[in-house]
Amino acid sequence: DTEVTQTPKHLVMGMTNKKSLKCEQHMGHRAMYWYKQKAKKPPELMFVYSYEKLSINESVPSRFSPECPNSSLLNLHLHALQPEDSALYLCASSHRLDRGLPNQPQHFGDGTRLSIL
Amino acid sequence: AQKITQTQPGMFVQEKEAVTLDCTYDTSDPSYGLFWYKQPSSGEMIFLIYQGSYDQQNATEGRYSLNFQKARKSANLVISASQLGDSAMYFCAMREGKTGANSKLTFGKGITLSVRP
Protein backbone atom coordinates (compact mmCIF):
# COMPACT_ATOMS: atom_id res chain seq x y z
CA ASP A 1 0.00 0.00 0.00
CA THR A 2 1.23 3.45 -0.90
CA GLU A 3 1.98 5.94 1.89
CA VAL A 4 0.77 8.81 -0.26
CA THR A 5 -3.01 8.79 -0.54
CA GLN A 6 -4.79 10.45 -3.43
CA THR A 7 -8.52 11.00 -3.80
CA PRO A 8 -10.54 10.48 -5.84
CA LYS A 9 -9.07 7.61 -7.86
CA HIS A 10 -11.20 8.49 -10.87
CA LEU A 11 -12.86 11.76 -11.82
CA VAL A 12 -15.03 12.66 -14.79
CA MET A 13 -15.94 16.30 -15.14
CA GLY A 14 -17.33 18.71 -17.68
CA MET A 15 -15.39 21.68 -18.95
CA THR A 16 -17.41 24.10 -16.81
CA ASN A 17 -17.12 22.16 -13.56
CA LYS A 18 -14.98 22.98 -10.54
CA LYS A 19 -13.39 20.07 -8.72
CA SER A 20 -10.41 19.37 -6.48
CA LEU A 21 -7.85 16.60 -6.27
CA LYS A 22 -6.52 15.77 -2.83
CA CYS A 23 -3.25 14.28 -1.65
CA GLU A 24 -2.20 13.34 1.86
CA GLN A 25 1.03 11.96 3.33
CA HIS A 26 2.07 11.22 6.89
CA MET A 27 5.74 10.48 6.36
CA GLY A 28 6.91 13.85 7.67
CA HIS A 29 7.95 14.95 4.20
CA ARG A 30 8.27 18.68 3.65
CA ALA A 31 8.33 18.67 -0.14
CA MET A 32 5.23 17.78 -2.18
CA TYR A 33 4.68 17.61 -5.91
CA TRP A 34 1.99 17.46 -8.57
CA TYR A 35 2.67 15.68 -11.86
CA LYS A 36 0.58 15.19 -14.98
CA GLN A 37 1.08 11.98 -16.95
CA LYS A 38 -0.29 11.03 -20.34
CA ALA A 39 -0.48 7.37 -21.36
CA LYS A 40 2.89 5.74 -22.15
CA LYS A 41 4.74 8.97 -21.34
CA PRO A 42 6.87 10.02 -18.36
CA PRO A 43 5.33 12.22 -15.66
CA GLU A 44 5.55 15.96 -16.28
CA LEU A 45 6.19 18.13 -13.26
CA MET A 46 3.53 20.77 -12.60
CA PHE A 47 4.16 22.20 -9.13
CA VAL A 48 6.54 21.78 -6.20
CA TYR A 49 5.84 22.87 -2.63
CA SER A 50 8.71 23.11 -0.16
CA TYR A 51 7.81 23.80 3.48
CA GLU A 52 4.24 24.61 2.38
CA LYS A 53 5.43 27.33 0.01
CA LEU A 54 5.18 27.11 -3.76
CA SER A 55 8.71 26.53 -4.98
CA ILE A 56 8.23 25.61 -8.63
CA ASN A 57 5.42 26.33 -11.08
CA GLU A 58 6.24 24.84 -14.46
CA SER A 59 4.22 27.44 -16.38
CA VAL A 60 1.02 25.57 -15.70
CA PRO A 61 -2.20 27.21 -16.98
CA SER A 62 -4.17 29.08 -14.34
CA ARG A 63 -7.08 26.66 -14.65
CA PHE A 64 -4.94 24.48 -12.34
CA SER A 65 -4.56 26.01 -8.89
CA PRO A 66 -2.45 24.24 -6.24
CA GLU A 67 -2.85 24.67 -2.51
CA CYS A 68 -0.85 23.33 0.42
CA PRO A 69 -2.94 23.90 3.60
CA ASN A 70 -0.42 22.15 5.85
CA SER A 71 2.63 19.92 5.70
CA SER A 72 0.55 16.77 5.14
CA LEU A 73 -1.96 17.95 2.58
CA LEU A 74 -1.76 19.06 -1.02
CA ASN A 75 -4.72 20.02 -3.17
CA LEU A 76 -5.10 20.73 -6.86
CA HIS A 77 -8.13 22.85 -7.71
CA LEU A 78 -9.50 22.43 -11.21
CA HIS A 79 -11.67 24.89 -13.11
CA ALA A 80 -12.68 25.21 -16.76
CA LEU A 81 -10.45 22.37 -17.91
CA GLN A 82 -9.98 21.36 -21.52
CA PRO A 83 -10.23 17.86 -23.05
CA GLU A 84 -6.44 17.76 -23.41
CA ASP A 85 -6.18 17.98 -19.63
CA SER A 86 -7.44 14.41 -19.41
CA ALA A 87 -4.57 12.46 -17.84
CA LEU A 88 -3.31 10.68 -14.75
CA TYR A 89 -2.46 13.19 -12.03
CA LEU A 90 0.18 11.99 -9.61
CA CYS A 91 1.05 13.44 -6.24
CA ALA A 92 4.44 12.76 -4.66
CA SER A 93 6.31 13.72 -1.53
CA SER A 94 9.91 13.61 -0.34
CA HIS A 95 12.09 14.80 2.48
CA ARG A 96 13.14 18.40 2.29
CA LEU A 97 15.02 19.61 -0.73
CA ASP A 98 18.47 20.72 0.30
CA ARG A 99 21.33 21.90 -1.76
CA GLY A 100 23.77 19.13 -2.49
CA LEU A 101 21.50 16.36 -1.24
CA PRO A 102 20.01 14.74 -4.32
CA ASN A 103 19.36 11.40 -2.68
CA GLN A 104 15.79 11.81 -1.52
CA PRO A 105 13.41 9.59 -3.50
CA GLN A 106 9.96 10.88 -4.24
CA HIS A 107 7.16 8.65 -3.05
CA PHE A 108 4.13 8.65 -5.29
CA GLY A 109 0.45 8.05 -4.75
CA ASP A 110 -1.75 5.88 -6.96
CA GLY A 111 -2.88 8.89 -8.93
CA THR A 112 -6.22 10.30 -10.03
CA ARG A 113 -7.40 9.41 -13.53
CA LEU A 114 -9.11 12.53 -14.80
CA SER A 115 -11.39 12.60 -17.83
CA ILE A 116 -12.73 15.86 -19.21
CA LEU A 117 -15.91 15.62 -21.25
CA ALA B 1 19.86 17.78 -24.92
CA GLN B 2 18.09 14.94 -23.18
CA LYS B 3 19.32 14.43 -19.65
CA ILE B 4 18.02 10.87 -19.32
CA THR B 5 17.98 8.49 -22.26
CA GLN B 6 16.13 5.20 -22.36
CA THR B 7 16.23 3.88 -25.89
CA GLN B 8 14.87 0.33 -25.56
CA PRO B 9 11.29 0.52 -26.88
CA GLY B 10 10.11 -2.61 -25.17
CA MET B 11 11.70 -5.61 -23.53
CA PHE B 12 10.57 -9.20 -23.18
CA VAL B 13 11.99 -11.69 -20.70
CA GLN B 14 11.17 -15.23 -19.76
CA GLU B 15 10.00 -15.78 -16.20
CA LYS B 16 12.87 -16.55 -13.79
CA GLU B 17 15.49 -15.08 -16.13
CA ALA B 18 17.45 -11.87 -15.54
CA VAL B 19 16.91 -8.71 -17.58
CA THR B 20 18.83 -5.45 -17.95
CA LEU B 21 17.09 -2.15 -18.62
CA ASP B 22 19.37 0.54 -20.01
CA CYS B 23 19.69 4.15 -18.90
CA THR B 24 22.23 6.79 -19.82
CA TYR B 25 22.35 10.28 -18.38
CA ASP B 26 23.96 13.63 -18.99
CA THR B 27 24.98 16.13 -16.34
CA SER B 28 27.87 18.41 -15.48
CA ASP B 29 26.93 18.48 -11.79
CA PRO B 30 29.34 16.35 -9.71
CA SER B 31 26.55 15.67 -7.21
CA TYR B 32 23.53 13.84 -8.55
CA GLY B 33 21.24 10.96 -7.78
CA LEU B 34 19.82 8.33 -10.09
CA PHE B 35 16.50 6.61 -9.41
CA TRP B 36 14.53 3.80 -10.97
CA TYR B 37 10.76 3.65 -10.71
CA LYS B 38 8.29 0.95 -11.72
CA GLN B 39 4.81 1.82 -12.95
CA PRO B 40 2.34 -1.04 -13.35
CA SER B 41 -0.79 -0.54 -15.41
CA SER B 42 -2.61 0.48 -12.22
CA GLY B 43 -0.70 3.77 -12.32
CA GLU B 44 1.27 3.96 -9.09
CA MET B 45 4.93 4.95 -9.44
CA ILE B 46 6.94 2.63 -7.20
CA PHE B 47 10.44 3.64 -6.12
CA LEU B 48 12.85 0.73 -6.68
CA ILE B 49 16.45 1.76 -6.18
CA TYR B 50 18.77 4.74 -5.80
CA GLN B 51 22.41 5.35 -6.79
CA GLY B 52 24.35 8.42 -5.72
CA SER B 53 27.13 9.91 -7.80
CA TYR B 54 29.60 9.54 -4.94
CA ASP B 55 28.62 5.99 -4.03
CA GLN B 56 31.55 3.63 -4.38
CA GLN B 57 29.48 0.49 -4.76
CA ASN B 58 26.60 -0.43 -7.02
CA ALA B 59 23.24 -0.22 -5.29
CA THR B 60 21.24 -3.38 -4.63
CA GLU B 61 17.70 -3.87 -3.30
CA GLY B 62 16.51 -7.45 -3.25
CA ARG B 63 16.17 -8.63 -6.85
CA TYR B 64 17.10 -5.19 -8.17
CA SER B 65 20.65 -4.03 -8.72
CA LEU B 66 22.07 -1.05 -10.48
CA ASN B 67 25.05 -1.39 -12.83
CA PHE B 68 26.54 2.07 -12.35
CA GLN B 69 29.30 3.03 -14.79
CA LYS B 70 30.11 6.63 -13.96
CA ALA B 71 32.64 7.24 -16.72
CA ARG B 72 30.16 6.01 -19.31
CA LYS B 73 27.30 7.86 -17.59
CA SER B 74 25.14 4.79 -17.51
CA ALA B 75 22.94 3.40 -14.74
CA ASN B 76 21.35 0.19 -15.95
CA LEU B 77 18.79 -1.64 -13.86
CA VAL B 78 19.23 -5.39 -13.52
CA ILE B 79 16.25 -7.46 -12.41
CA SER B 80 17.16 -10.99 -11.42
CA ALA B 81 14.77 -13.96 -11.44
CA SER B 82 11.97 -12.10 -13.26
CA GLN B 83 8.43 -12.61 -12.05
CA LEU B 84 5.14 -12.08 -13.86
CA GLY B 85 4.45 -9.15 -11.53
CA ASP B 86 7.52 -7.37 -12.91
CA SER B 87 5.61 -6.60 -16.11
CA ALA B 88 5.34 -2.81 -16.05
CA MET B 89 6.82 0.40 -17.37
CA TYR B 90 10.19 1.32 -15.87
CA PHE B 91 11.46 4.88 -15.61
CA CYS B 92 15.01 6.03 -14.97
CA ALA B 93 15.24 9.46 -13.35
CA MET B 94 17.92 11.86 -12.18
CA ARG B 95 18.07 14.68 -9.69
CA GLU B 96 21.01 17.05 -9.74
CA GLY B 97 22.31 18.43 -6.46
CA LYS B 98 23.34 21.95 -7.39
CA THR B 99 19.88 23.43 -7.71
CA GLY B 100 18.79 22.81 -4.14
CA ALA B 101 15.21 23.69 -3.42
CA ASN B 102 14.42 24.15 -7.10
CA SER B 103 15.76 20.74 -7.99
CA LYS B 104 13.62 18.61 -10.25
CA LEU B 105 13.44 14.92 -10.92
CA THR B 106 14.08 14.43 -14.64
CA PHE B 107 12.54 11.27 -16.08
CA GLY B 108 13.50 9.25 -19.12
CA LYS B 109 10.84 8.15 -21.60
CA GLY B 110 10.48 4.77 -19.94
CA ILE B 111 10.79 1.14 -21.01
CA THR B 112 7.97 -1.38 -21.11
CA LEU B 113 8.94 -4.77 -19.72
CA SER B 114 6.83 -7.85 -20.38
CA VAL B 115 7.56 -11.08 -18.52
CA ARG B 116 6.52 -14.25 -20.33
CA PRO B 117 5.40 -17.33 -18.37
Side-chain angles (χ1 to χ4, degrees):
Chain A
D1 286 338
T2 181
E3 295 178 84
V4 178
T5 304
Q6 288 187 246
T7 55
K9 291 196 182 304
H10 301 273
L11 179 61
V12 180
M13 57 187 287
M15 289 190 285
T16 58
N17 291 157
K18 284 186 182 181
K19 296 284 184 184
S20 297
L21 308 185
K22 297 188 183 302
C23 176
E24 188 169 4
Q25 58 87 14
H26 294 288
M27 294 181 282
H29 291 166
R30 300 309 295 273
M32 296 187 77
Y33 313 78
W34 279 116
Y35 288 87
K36 173 184 177 180
Q37 187 180 25
K38 291 285 201 178
K40 305 293 186 186
K41 299 290 186 184
E44 299 171 15
L45 183 65
M46 300 174 72
F47 302 104
V48 179
Y49 273 84
S50 180
Y51 290 88
E52 296 88 71
K53 287 186 170 52
L54 185 63
S55 172
I56 297 176
N57 177 343
E58 288 288 282
S59 302
V60 178
S62 59
R63 58 185 183 269
F64 294 92
S65 175
E67 178 197 19
C68 190
N70 60 54
S71 60
S72 300
L73 292 173
L74 186 65
N75 299 322
L76 186 62
H77 303 298
L78 315 172
H79 174 53
L81 295 194
Q82 303 297 308
E84 61 265 28
D85 297 323
S86 297
L88 178 69
Y89 287 83
L90 291 163
C91 173
S93 70
S94 73
H95 284 296
R96 64 183 189 178
L97 304 175
D98 281 336
R99 185 179 185 85
L101 293 176
N103 62 341
Q104 302 301 329
Q106 292 180 18
H107 297 268
F108 287 79
D110 289 343
T112 295
R113 291 193 187 276
L114 177 64
S115 297
I116 306 300
L117 301 179
Chain B
Q2 276 190 324
K3 289 201 170 186
I4 296 285
T5 303
Q6 297 180 263
T7 57
Q8 297 159 309
M11 293 286 288
F12 293 89
V13 65
Q14 204 67 31
E15 195 178 7
K16 298 181 185 176
E17 291 186 350
V19 63
T20 298
L21 306 181
D22 296 341
C23 173
T24 57
Y25 60 92
D26 183 29
T27 180
S28 58
D29 192 336
S31 175
Y32 55 89
L34 297 158
F35 305 83
W36 275 93
Y37 285 87
K38 170 186 177 182
Q39 188 175 38
S41 56
S42 57
E44 182 191 358
M45 292 281 283
I46 303 166
F47 166 65
L48 296 178
I49 196 167
Y50 164 82
Q51 181 81 46
S53 58
Y54 295 121
D55 292 344
Q56 296 296 313
Q57 296 189 338
N58 288 343
T60 60
E61 285 289 346
R63 294 187 299 112
Y64 305 108
S65 60
L66 210 150
N67 183 1
F68 181 47
Q69 298 188 41
K70 195 170 180 177
R72 298 179 61 184
K73 292 189 175 179
S74 74
N76 299 338
L77 177 70
V78 180
I79 305 175
S80 63
S82 297
Q83 302 173 355
L84 295 178
D86 294 334
S87 294
M89 195 146 188
Y90 289 80
F91 290 98
C92 179
M94 176 175 66
R95 179 166 171 242
E96 295 163 298
K98 64 184 175 185
T99 49
N102 287 328
S103 177
K104 305 174 192 178
L105 196 59
T106 303
F107 286 89
K109 292 184 177 180
I111 302 167
T112 300
L113 175 67
S114 300
V115 180
R116 293 174 169 148

